């Protein structure tokens, strides 16, 4: 067998993003995999081609091309984008919120005994952006309050809280260190989930203030805070793609 004296790099590498038959493909190497396979990332709306080794990535790409019809069907089943507009009704932490056109400054009006909550903004090209900013503001307020609640329950100082639009995670926690205070980031899209689901994510991230892993002690803390977490995790797995389609045209 001839030696590769020039050390030529393989055609594909772990993490590469390519297109095959017009579909977005992300290449992944998983040493525990026994064969090449495909799965759909419903959040990023792309195909993941998995191979047991870098050497077999070309095989995974070829497999993806062979399964073009299956990929097309899977991507077609993903929820369509849901741009915001006047007359819509959305749900924030499980409560109905009406989107209404109104002159003047964009504002969020909490629910009252005789009406649901409302987001009002001028009916122009910037309506969706204004409404989305108010949704994010409500997400920051609610998630911040629940973070304070669970941090206090765990006897930990209130961490810094930030709201992001990440697609890979609903939340992330950096525990305190000698050099920096603790911080937690949440996806603002948690505001679109039922209150109990969003609350579970907050408890999950706050539990990381004590346990930075997902071992038995960590899950015991989560259980002490919110009880059985399995239904909430299942809801996010089932409905996550719909939440990430929200607000996208």
């Amino acid at each position: 067998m001839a030696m590769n004296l020039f050390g030529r790099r393989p055609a594909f590498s772990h993490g590469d993003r390519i297109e095959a038959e017009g579909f977005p493909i992300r290449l992944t190497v998983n040493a525990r995999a026994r064969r090449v396979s495909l799965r759909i990332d419903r959040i990023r709306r792309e195909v993941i081609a998995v191979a047991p080794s870098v050497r077999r990535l070309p095989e995974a790409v070829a497999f993806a091309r062979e399964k073009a019809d299956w990929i097309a069907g899977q991507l077609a089943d993903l929820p369509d984008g849901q741009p915001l507009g006047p007359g819509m009704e959305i749900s924030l932490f499980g409560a109905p919120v009406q989107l209404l056109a109104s002159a003047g400054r964009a504002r969020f009006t909490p629910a009252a005994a005789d009406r649901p909550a409302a987001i009002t903004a001028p009916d122009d090209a910037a309506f969706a952006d204004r409404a989305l900013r108010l949704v994010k503001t409500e997400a920051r307020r609610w998630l911040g309050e629940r973070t304070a609640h669970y941090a206090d329950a765990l006897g930990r100082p209130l961490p810094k809280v930030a709201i992001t639009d990440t697609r890979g995670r609903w939340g992330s926690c950096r525990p305190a260190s000698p050099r920096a205070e603790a911080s937690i980031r949440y996806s603002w899209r948690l505001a679109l989930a039922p209150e109990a689901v969003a609350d579970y994510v907050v408890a999950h991230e706050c539990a990381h203030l004590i346990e930075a892993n997902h071992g038995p002690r960590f899950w015991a803390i989560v259980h002490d805070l919110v009880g059985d977490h399995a239904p909430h995790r299942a809801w996010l797995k089932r409905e996550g793609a719909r939440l990430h389609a929200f607000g996208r045209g």
Side-chain angles (χ1 to χ4, degrees):
M1 180 180 295
M3 295 181 61
N4 183 358
L5 299 178
F6 299 100
R8 191 169 66 182
R9 296 178 61 186
F12 302 106
S13 300
H14 172 77
D16 281 355
R17 281 180 165 81
I18 65 170
E19 281 197 3
E21 307 300 323
F23 301 115
I25 309 288
R26 177 155 49 100
L27 307 183
T28 299
V29 174
N30 183 347
R32 293 177 294 180
R34 296 185 178 182
R35 56 185 175 82
V36 299
S37 62
L38 301 176
R39 66 181 180 87
I40 304 296
D41 186 327
R42 293 172 57 84
I43 301 301
R44 293 186 173 89
R45 306 177 78 88
E46 66 183 3
V47 183
I48 300 176
V50 182
S53 65
V54 172
R55 180 177 59 83
R56 295 187 66 182
L57 281 175
E59 183 182 341
V61 172
F63 184 60
R65 288 173 175 150
E66 292 174 4
K67 295 295 184 179
D69 290 344
W70 178 84
I71 291 172
Q74 294 293 311
L75 294 179
D77 286 341
L78 294 177
D80 294 330
Q82 186 184 7
L84 303 182
M88 290 179 59
E89 182 175 283
I90 64 174
S91 175
L92 293 186
F93 300 108
V97 178
Q98 296 178 340
L99 303 187
L100 304 173
S102 176
R105 182 175 58 88
R107 61 191 181 277
F108 174 82
T109 305
D114 59 342
R115 55 170 173 73
I119 288 175
T120 55
D123 187 6
D124 56 24
F127 181 92
D129 289 340
R130 293 190 180 103
L132 200 54
R133 282 197 294 271
L134 291 170
V135 170
K136 292 178 180 179
T137 297
E138 283 303 297
R140 183 178 295 106
R141 178 193 63 78
W142 194 94
L143 294 168
E145 289 176 358
R146 296 308 294 167
T147 300
H149 169 79
Y150 284 124
D152 182 67
L154 295 171
R156 290 295 189 270
L158 178 64
K160 294 171 63 177
V161 174
I163 303 299
T164 67
D165 193 14
T166 57
R167 291 196 178 191
R169 294 181 177 183
W170 298 108
S172 62
C173 175
R174 185 186 68 188
S177 70
R179 296 184 177 181
E181 63 182 296
S183 65
I184 294 179
R185 293 175 177 268
Y186 299 109
S187 167
W188 67 264
R189 295 177 185 276
L190 286 170
L192 310 173
E195 188 177 70
V197 174
D199 196 58
Y200 151 70
V201 176
V202 176
H204 180 118
E205 299 308 330
C206 286
H208 280 310
L209 296 172
I210 296 177
E211 291 289 332
N213 53 62
H214 287 102
R217 291 180 60 187
F218 167 82
W219 289 113
I221 294 171
V222 174
H223 187 273
D224 287 345
L225 294 175
V226 296
D228 183 12
H229 60 271
H232 309 315
R233 296 178 68 189
W235 191 96
L236 287 170
K237 183 176 182 179
R238 183 176 66 250
E239 302 293 339
R242 178 176 61 81
L243 268 56
H244 280 275
F246 180 89
R248 303 186 189 279

